[in-house]
Amino acid sequence: MQNPKLFMLMLGCRPEGRNTEQHDMLFAIGEQVSDLVPAIKAFWPEAKGNIHVDAWREVRQVNGHQIQVVPKEDLPAKPGAGKLFFLNLGGYKPGEFDEFHYKMLAVAENQAGAIQQAKQTAFYKHTGFKGAASHIDDKFGVDVDEVYEVKDILTAGDKARYSLQVLTGDGPEDEMHLGYFQLHKL
């Protein structure tokens, strides 16, 4: 791969026997989002190919840090400027029969630092009420079991070939692509 990039995708499907659309997150490496179609299908085999992308972004910048994909053999010996974490926050609103979610990326030295950033979001502060506090899914309160270092949840092939390098330095905000994207139209 000449120019490997990290992608974050929210996938959707309605598996057999389910009444509503289900979602999950996939982090994978490719040169363009269309390169990820085989990884998408392999990630959620229960979808039997009936899967779509609801949102995606090329991850290049998070909290004043640049995110680069580096072939394992090219990784510098010294550590970068932190680690890249994915967090899935869950919360509730009075009178709404739903659990709302906020997915975020954070650069921090460790999970505790990523959780501290999550606690500062407007979602965490304002989505919840007495008896139904905001939380990191699936537990009330903040539980580090629901925070993932992105390098650990890459596809197996990507983990074997690439590392993520976090560098200090701002860049343009990542573009968010939102909508209903069928795989053959990526």
Side-chain angles (χ1 to χ4, degrees):
M1 205 178 306
Q2 294 287 330
N3 188 19
K5 301 171 188 170
L6 175 64
F7 290 92
M8 174 180 176
L9 300 94
M10 182 170 64
L11 305 178
C13 78
R14 191 176 60 79
E16 189 175 323
R18 298 288 164 216
N19 296 321
T20 60
E21 182 178 336
Q22 312 287 294
H23 293 96
D24 205 345
M25 301 299 295
L26 172 66
F27 290 86
I29 295 171
E31 290 189 278
Q32 53 194 9
V33 72
S34 60
D35 295 340
L36 305 178
V37 171
I40 291 168
K41 290 178 179 179
F43 178 73
W44 206 338
E46 300 85 2
K48 298 180 181 163
N50 189 16
I51 193 168
H52 62 275
V53 176
D54 282 309
W56 67 272
R57 88 189 241 195
E58 177 188 333
V59 180
R60 294 175 295 168
Q61 197 274 49
V62 176
N63 304 51
H65 294 85
Q66 294 178 9
I67 310 301
Q68 295 181 349
V69 176
V70 181
K72 287 240 183 200
E73 62 270 9
D74 295 346
L75 188 64
K78 65 179 187 169
K83 299 173 184 175
L84 180 62
F85 290 92
F86 166 70
L87 298 94
N88 182 30
L89 307 178
Y92 306 93
K93 295 180 183 178
E96 299 273 344
F97 191 79
D98 204 355
E99 178 186 6
F100 299 91
H101 287 92
Y102 179 71
K103 290 144 182 62
M104 66 175 282
L105 295 174
V107 170
E109 289 300 316
N110 53 40
Q111 287 183 340
I115 290 168
Q116 282 307 110
Q117 289 179 42
K119 286 182 169 183
Q120 300 309 309
T121 64
F123 179 90
Y124 190 86
K125 291 178 180 179
H126 302 293
T127 309
F129 53 94
K130 188 173 180 168
S134 296
H135 61 283
I136 294 181
D137 223 19
D138 283 329
K139 310 223 167 62
F140 289 100
V142 176
D143 186 343
V144 296
D145 289 340
E146 301 305 321
V147 178
Y148 300 99
E149 191 173 343
V150 172
K151 73 175 182 70
D152 295 334
I153 57 174
L154 289 170
T155 67
D158 290 343
K159 278 193 258 190
R161 290 187 294 273
Y162 300 102
S163 293
L164 300 178
Q165 182 72 39
V166 178
L167 304 170
T168 302
D170 240 343
E173 289 290 319
D174 293 348
E175 182 180 353
M176 304 289 177
H177 302 267
L178 308 171
Y180 182 89
F181 303 97
Q182 297 173 324
L183 298 187
H184 70 278
K185 292 184 179 180
L186 289 177

